[in-house]
């Protein structure tokens, strides 16, 4: 890895990136001689719901990851789609992909999980390019850029001696039982969610709790923008988490500073990424 400059490749495995968001992030780093961003043209492609066809999105990801001229791969946005390409893409990654850091969250969690399961690179749950649009977006982007450049300043503060992993609840629930799901035994698992009714959050916890037995514990991130239901659910988000953790024999460890917002912190998967960053 270059010591003078961190070269970061950006691709969009799910939904497309708006040009204005790319421009805002370019402007943010314009005076930073230590960072160079390269937006793959696929970021701005459009094919129905997606940033290009499955083949285009997979091709861009494989190209960015296998290019030895880049130090890291940053996912432009979440949005549904990365699960459709994750297994096939990871199977095509070579030696150059193994030395890179990868950052994203939400639906990009499918790729983070697949990379972690395959032992490829240093995946981390953290802000994406598109988060520049959020309140506090500039600071969110800087946290991921810090990690992608080898720093630790944006880390989630509860990280300790346990390996960790972080996911959007829906993404983790969809991962469970698939060939993308990594072994999270003895991991501290952090989860967050957005725009789901509390009864849906309860349903998701019912499912993931069955698959997290053996975890070192669970931390609950922010459950944001909860829609109003026609009747109160009767439990808070934290009561839901505690209920299902107790049912499954998983230690509930408290809150985590992650979520679909500008305050989202970086959670490197495992311990290796943190060791290399320190």
């Amino acid at each position: 890895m270059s010591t003078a400059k961190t070269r970061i490749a950006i691709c969009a495995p799910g939904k497309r990136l708006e040009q204005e968001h790319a421009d805002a992030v370019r402007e943010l780093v314009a005076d930073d001689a230590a960072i160079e961003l390269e937006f793959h043209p696929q970021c701005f492609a459009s094919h129905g719901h997606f940033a290009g066809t499955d083949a285009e999105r997979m091709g861009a990801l494989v190209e960015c990851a296998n290019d030895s001229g880049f130090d890291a791969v940053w996912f432009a946005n979440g949005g549904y789609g990365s699960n459709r390409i994750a297994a096939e893409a990871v199977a095509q990654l070579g030696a150059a992909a193994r030395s890179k850091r990868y950052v994203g969250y939400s639906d990009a969690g499918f790729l983070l999980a697949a990379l972690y399961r395959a032992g490829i690179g240093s995946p981390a749950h953290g802000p994406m390019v598109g988060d520049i649009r959020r309140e506090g977006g500039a600071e969110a982007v800087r946290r991921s850029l810090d990690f992608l450049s080898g720093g630790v300043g944006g880390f989630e503060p509860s990280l300790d001696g346990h390996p960790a992993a972080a996911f959007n609840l829906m993404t983790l629930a969809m991962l469970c039982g698939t060939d993308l799901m990594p072994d999270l035994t003895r991991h501290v698992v952090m989860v967050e969610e957005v725009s789901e009714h509390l009864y849906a959050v309860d349903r998701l916890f019912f499912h993931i709790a069955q698959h997290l037995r053996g975890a070192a514990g669970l931390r609950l991130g922010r459950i944001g923008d909860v829609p109003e239901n026609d009747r109160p659910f009767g439990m808070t988000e934290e009561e839901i988490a505690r209920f299902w953790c107790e049912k499954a024999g998983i230690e509930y460890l408290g809150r985590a500073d992650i979520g679909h917002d500008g305050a989202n912190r970086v959670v490197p998967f495992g311990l290796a990424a943190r060791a290399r960053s320190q």
Side-chain angles (χ1 to χ4, degrees):
M1 183 180 291
S2 169
T3 57
K5 178 178 290 192
T6 300
R7 300 193 68 235
I8 301 169
I10 300 166
C11 61
K15 72 178 181 181
R16 62 170 279 144
L17 179 67
E18 298 305 318
Q19 186 67 56
E20 65 190 274
H21 299 149
D23 292 343
V25 172
R26 282 196 185 100
E27 183 177 352
L28 189 70
V29 302
D31 296 328
D32 191 339
I35 292 175
E36 180 180 337
L37 303 180
E38 183 69 34
F39 288 85
H40 195 287
Q42 172 272 326
C43 289
F44 311 105
S46 182
H47 182 79
H49 182 90
F50 308 111
T53 64
D54 286 356
E56 288 171 329
R57 299 195 322 279
M58 181 171 63
L61 170 59
V62 171
E63 182 182 338
C64 290
N66 281 341
D67 190 332
S68 60
F70 292 111
D71 304 299
V73 176
W74 195 13
F75 301 132
N77 261 326
Y80 179 70
S82 69
N83 61 307
R84 295 167 61 101
I85 64 171
E88 193 173 349
V90 167
Q92 297 180 51
L93 300 186
R98 295 184 175 273
S99 63
K100 289 182 171 60
R101 293 181 174 87
Y102 300 83
V103 172
Y105 73 106
S106 193
D107 261 64
F110 288 106
L111 281 170
L112 301 177
L115 290 163
Y116 190 52
R117 176 178 172 131
I120 295 174
S122 299
H125 175 288
M128 295 176 285
V129 178
D131 285 312
I132 192 70
R133 72 189 187 279
R134 300 186 187 276
E135 182 179 354
E139 289 307 310
V141 163
R142 287 191 181 99
R143 283 194 290 276
S144 281
L145 289 171
D146 179 71
F147 171 74
L148 290 167
S149 301
V152 301
F155 281 4
E156 202 284 330
S158 71
L159 291 170
D160 57 17
H162 293 93
F167 296 97
N168 166 258
L169 259 173
M170 181 67 77
T171 299
L172 180 56
M174 295 299 100
L175 276 165
C176 290
T178 73
D179 59 0
L180 302 180
M181 180 70 172
D183 182 2
L184 298 179
T185 303
R186 294 184 294 279
H187 285 61
V188 172
V189 181
M190 305 184 194
V191 293
E192 50 86 15
E193 188 52 86
V194 67
S195 301
E196 294 285 353
H197 290 87
L198 286 178
Y199 69 79
V201 170
D202 189 76
R203 181 192 294 137
L204 293 169
F205 265 106
F206 157 75
H207 183 64
I208 69 165
Q210 311 301 309
H211 295 269
L212 294 182
R213 291 190 173 99
L218 180 137
R219 286 189 176 275
L220 179 66
R222 287 177 287 281
I223 307 296
D225 297 330
V226 177
E228 285 192 27
N229 195 25
D230 59 355
R231 71 204 73 180
F233 182 66
M235 297 174 75
T236 67
E237 60 203 49
E238 190 160 20
E239 288 170 338
I240 291 169
R242 288 180 180 275
F243 175 85
W244 289 110
C245 282
E246 183 177 354
K247 281 263 190 185
I250 300 165
E251 186 177 0
Y252 178 72
L253 299 172
R255 303 305 297 247
D257 196 6
I258 60 171
H260 272 64
D261 52 44
N264 190 24
R265 307 285 290 191
V266 175
V267 180
F269 282 36
L271 289 172
R274 281 152 39 199
R276 281 199 290 270
S277 296
Q278 293 172 334

